[in-house]
């Protein structure tokens, strides 16, 4: 449980904030009658920032009595920044984040329960499986609005020249077929070239979320509500495939295991790698940076016993519990997330909307740049296995990341990977679940 400021200090901070912002009056509204909401956005790509700012400007033009101030945040520091702002009573009214970062803030009482505020249109438009990602206990503490499956970005010329079967959402590769395809491609490509490059600088979410397709879950909640780790045969399928491609088959290089997705693109463009598993949004970089004449395509990730299912942690929009303008904040979010606006946000971020109406938009169903393949996969997305697990950040950083990194490089075997994830992991999680 994180530390809270003493009540007297919190009250003093709030009082000072009211004086500094000119708020007064018994109804909680400023003297000039204009409600001012601070919206902290984490948009960072130019197209995404432009879409966010344009929507804020459109709202402000139509609502002179409820004005929204756009505040630029950063994904790199959002958790610590929010922690500090909540403790200091200075949190923005509207908060952009990701569902896997919300648990501590939701359970700590920092985020408003949106159930009494949600418009029925918005509630019905977003599938129940997406709402699960922002439900903590009985409360809903965020609106999931953008999601990013992991896809395979492939060099189309290499695949077509090799004669391998090209997968589709209707007929994807299985994980075992993917391994065999990688062997065939590597042989056809020749020395010094590889079928697939795995950028696994952050290996945990990739391993867990793709593992959902094979029936993996890793985290298990008991009848008493406590979460434990169990690494089953299903959990081992996807990590085992990656390990075998790197260590046994040598169809994937060790050198990219410590890389981020962007780091693999020069080699991909040069034909050193035929395929790179990447988040859907990386298509923007590829479309902008690929050499002239470079032909690329988007393929679904391999399927397992659960088909094309993947775990995801959607981007979210929440309202601070301390905001005096929750009703006005939700009115803005209802506008911000209208289907047409959700499409604009999705296209700006090169991601997929959660809303059914937005996902059906023809512009997100075009074959160009792989939008149609992504839209098909979106129907199979599920909450990430780590969703709502208290202590997950520490488990990930101290236990899972080094264990997966060593396993993928061949430094440890599968039995040692399982021991670390389960034995060491459960000791970490137990500290967060003491009653």
């Amino acid at each position: 449980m994180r530390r809270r400021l003493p009540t007297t200090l919190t009250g003093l901070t709030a009082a000072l904030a009211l004086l500094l912002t000119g708020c007064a009056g018994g109804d909680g509204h400023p003297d000039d009658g204009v409600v001012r909401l601070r919206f902290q956005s984490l948009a960072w790509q130019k197209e995404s920032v432009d879409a966010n700012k344009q929507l804020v400007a459109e709202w402000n033009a139509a609502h002179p009595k409820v004005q929204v101030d756009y505040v630029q945040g950063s994904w790199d520091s959002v958790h610590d920044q929010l922690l500090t702002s909540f403790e200091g009573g200075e949190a923005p009214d509207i908060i952009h984040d990701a569902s896997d970062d919300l648990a501590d803030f939701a359970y700590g009482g920092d985020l408003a329960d949106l159930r009494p505020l949600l418009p029925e249109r918005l509630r019905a438009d977003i599938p129940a499986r997406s709402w699960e990602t922002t439900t903590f206990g009985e409360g809903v503490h965020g609106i999931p609005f953008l999601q990013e499956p992991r896809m395979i970005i492939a060099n189309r010329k290499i695949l077509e020249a090799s004669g391998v079967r090209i997968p589709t959402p209707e007929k994807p590769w299985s994980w075992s077929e993917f391994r065999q395809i990688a062997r065939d491609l590597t042989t056809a490509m020749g020395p010094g070239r590889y079928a697939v490059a795995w950028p696994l600088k952050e290996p945990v979410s990739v391993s867990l979320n793709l593992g959902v397709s094979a029936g993996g879950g890793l985290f298990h909640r008991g009848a008493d509500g406590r979460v434990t780790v169990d690494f089953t045969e299903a959990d081992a399928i996807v990590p085992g495939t990656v390990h075998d491609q790197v260590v046994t088959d040598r169809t994937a290089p060790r050198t990219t295991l410590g890389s981020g997705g962007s780091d693999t693109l020069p080699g991909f463009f040069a034909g050193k790698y035929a395929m790179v598993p990447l988040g859907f949004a990386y298509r923007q970089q590829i479309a902008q940076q690929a050499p002239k004449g470079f032909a690329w395509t988007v393929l679904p990730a391999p399927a397992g016993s659960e088909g094309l299912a993947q775990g995801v942690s959607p981007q979210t929009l929440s309202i601070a519990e301390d905001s005096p303008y929750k009703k006005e904040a939700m009115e803005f979010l209802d506008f911000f997330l209208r289907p047409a606006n959700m499409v604009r946000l999705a296209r700006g971020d090169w991601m997929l909307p959660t809303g059914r109406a937005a996902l059906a938009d023809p512009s997100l169903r075009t074959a160009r740049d792989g939008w149609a393949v992504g839209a098909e996969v979106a129907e199979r997305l599920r909450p990430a296995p780590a969703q709502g697990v208290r202590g997950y950040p520490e488990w990930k950083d101290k236990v899972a990341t080094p264990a997966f990194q060593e396993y993928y490089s061949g430094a440890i075997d599968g039995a040692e990977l399982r021991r670390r994830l389960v034995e060491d992991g459960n000791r970490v999680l137990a500290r967060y679940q003491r009653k």
Side-chain angles (χ1 to χ4, degrees):
M1 183 65 66
R2 55 186 190 77
R3 184 182 61 82
R4 289 188 168 276
L5 291 175
T7 304
T8 53
L9 182 54
T10 302
L12 178 59
T13 302
L16 288 171
L18 286 172
L19 289 172
L20 291 171
T21 55
C23 295
D27 62 357
H29 284 67
D31 288 335
D32 63 2
V34 177
V35 170
R36 299 190 182 279
L37 301 170
R38 285 190 301 145
F39 166 36
Q40 179 169 292
S41 170
L42 302 180
W44 63 276
Q45 300 184 93
K46 183 181 185 304
E47 292 177 58
S48 179
V49 172
D50 289 347
N52 276 261
K53 288 185 174 180
Q54 286 166 6
L55 288 173
V56 169
E58 290 170 19
W59 166 272
N60 286 340
H63 300 83
K65 293 297 184 180
V66 181
Q67 294 287 285
V68 174
D69 295 329
Y70 181 94
V71 180
Q72 186 63 61
S74 168
W75 285 108
D76 293 337
S77 59
V78 63
H79 185 86
D80 290 342
Q81 182 269 325
L82 286 175
L83 187 65
T84 301
S85 65
F86 283 131
E87 296 287 18
E90 298 175 348
D93 301 275
I94 301 165
I95 297 162
H96 182 189
D97 203 351
S99 61
D100 60 357
D101 191 44
L102 298 185
D104 286 345
F105 299 132
Y107 287 122
D110 297 313
L111 302 177
D113 181 358
L114 304 182
R115 289 177 299 170
L117 302 167
L118 279 171
E120 182 55 33
R121 176 203 68 80
L122 199 53
R123 188 194 306 269
D125 186 46
I126 296 174
R129 64 179 180 273
S130 295
W131 286 117
E132 289 176 20
T133 66
T134 59
T135 300
F136 302 91
E138 297 296 321
V140 174
H141 296 279
I143 302 172
F145 73 110
L146 291 178
Q147 53 194 349
E148 184 182 21
R150 190 160 291 266
M151 314 293 285
I152 294 177
I153 311 299
N155 183 315
R156 195 171 69 213
K157 290 182 179 179
I158 292 178
L159 261 64
E160 291 175 350
S162 72
V164 301
R165 183 179 77 82
I166 307 298
T168 65
E170 294 73 29
K171 293 184 178 181
W173 290 328
S174 67
W175 284 100
S176 59
E177 186 181 9
F178 176 52
R179 185 180 174 191
Q180 181 59 53
I181 292 290
R183 287 196 285 257
D184 294 342
L185 275 174
T186 300
T187 299
M189 291 171 67
R193 302 167 81 195
Y194 300 88
V196 59
W198 284 97
L200 292 174
K201 185 177 182 179
E202 301 288 342
V204 182
S205 62
V206 176
S207 306
L208 269 60
N209 290 341
L210 286 179
V212 169
S213 69
L218 205 71
F219 297 102
H220 303 272
R221 193 176 297 275
D224 60 356
R226 292 176 179 265
V227 176
T228 55
V229 179
D230 185 18
F231 191 73
T232 66
E233 289 185 10
D235 291 304
I237 289 174
V238 172
T241 301
V242 178
H243 169 275
D244 290 346
Q245 287 179 330
V246 174
V247 178
T248 306
D249 303 338
R250 301 196 176 181
T251 56
R254 279 187 175 87
T255 52
T256 65
L257 293 177
S259 302
S262 299
D263 299 327
T264 62
L265 295 185
F268 178 59
F269 295 148
K272 186 174 181 179
Y273 321 122
M275 301 180 288
V276 186
L278 293 169
F280 197 55
Y282 275 94
R283 296 170 305 127
Q284 182 188 40
Q285 288 187 48
I286 295 169
Q288 293 176 346
Q289 298 174 14
K292 185 176 181 180
F294 182 82
W296 58 281
T297 188
V298 177
L299 310 176
S305 61
E306 299 299 311
L308 289 174
Q310 279 189 43
V312 291
S313 298
Q315 292 188 22
T316 58
L317 293 165
S318 301
I319 298 175
E321 175 60 32
D322 288 345
S323 173
Y325 309 124
K326 296 182 182 67
K327 174 177 174 292
E328 293 86 351
M330 182 56 74
E331 288 172 353
F332 168 73
L333 290 178
D334 188 28
F335 159 81
F336 194 71
L337 298 177
R338 288 175 183 173
N341 293 343
M342 199 181 281
V343 171
R344 291 165 65 181
L345 293 168
R347 291 191 64 83
D349 246 328
W350 287 64
M351 296 177 70
L352 295 165
T354 58
R356 295 184 179 93
L359 192 59
D361 189 275
S363 70
L364 301 182
R365 296 281 174 169
T366 178
R368 183 179 175 84
D369 296 331
W371 282 105
V373 177
E376 287 293 322
V377 172
E379 306 289 348
R380 281 86 157 186
L381 300 180
R382 302 179 184 177
Q387 195 65 50
V389 175
R390 302 296 301 273
Y392 169 73
E394 182 180 344
W395 175 86
K396 180 185 72 172
D397 293 343
K398 295 184 177 179
V399 177
T401 294
F404 275 117
Q405 286 174 336
E406 291 181 44
Y407 175 61
Y408 289 144
S409 70
I412 63 173
D413 61 13
E416 177 62 12
L417 173 69
R418 184 186 188 282
R419 188 199 68 77
R420 291 196 197 179
L421 295 179
V422 175
E423 295 181 14
D424 296 350
N426 280 326
R427 279 195 289 270
V428 171
L429 297 189
R431 294 202 306 273
Y432 291 83
Q433 302 180 88
R434 292 172 182 160
K435 292 185 178 179

